[in-house]
Amino acid sequence: MCLFWDHLLTIDDEVAFWGKGSRAGWLSKLVFFINRYPCEAVMIYTIYVISGLTHNLTFTYHVSSSSSPAAPLILT
């Protein structure tokens, strides 16, 4: 939660960094992006998995009873 708060506090600096007036090169922008955003994505995914919302993502497989080896697989 502190990381999200930090990102909210520094959003104006970040917009200036990504803006056209920034003197930062493409490599420094790439390193900044790699260090800043994947961490948030991992945190959001971890919160999602720990929250138990993933139990709704189960699939039921139904295989046709025909003797054909290419029987369709139906997901519901």
Side-chain angles (χ1 to χ4, degrees):
M1 194 65 178
C2 292
L3 182 65
F4 292 120
W5 181 250
D6 174 61
H7 286 200
L8 286 174
L9 291 176
T10 58
I11 191 73
D12 54 340
D13 295 332
E14 185 175 346
V15 169
F17 178 76
W18 287 102
K20 293 180 181 179
S22 174
R23 296 187 323 185
W26 66 271
L27 183 60
S28 62
K29 289 182 179 182
L30 178 67
V31 170
F32 178 83
F33 181 83
I34 290 172
N35 282 324
R36 182 103 166 163
Y37 297 109
C39 182
E40 286 182 353
V42 169
M43 283 186 358
I44 290 169
Y45 176 74
T46 304
I47 291 168
Y48 174 71
V49 169
I50 290 174
S51 70
L53 294 174
T54 58
H55 73 280
N56 295 331
L57 297 178
T58 58
F59 293 103
T60 305
Y61 298 98
H62 299 283
V63 178
S64 175
S65 62
S66 70
S67 60
S68 170
L73 182 64
I74 303 168
L75 297 174
T76 58

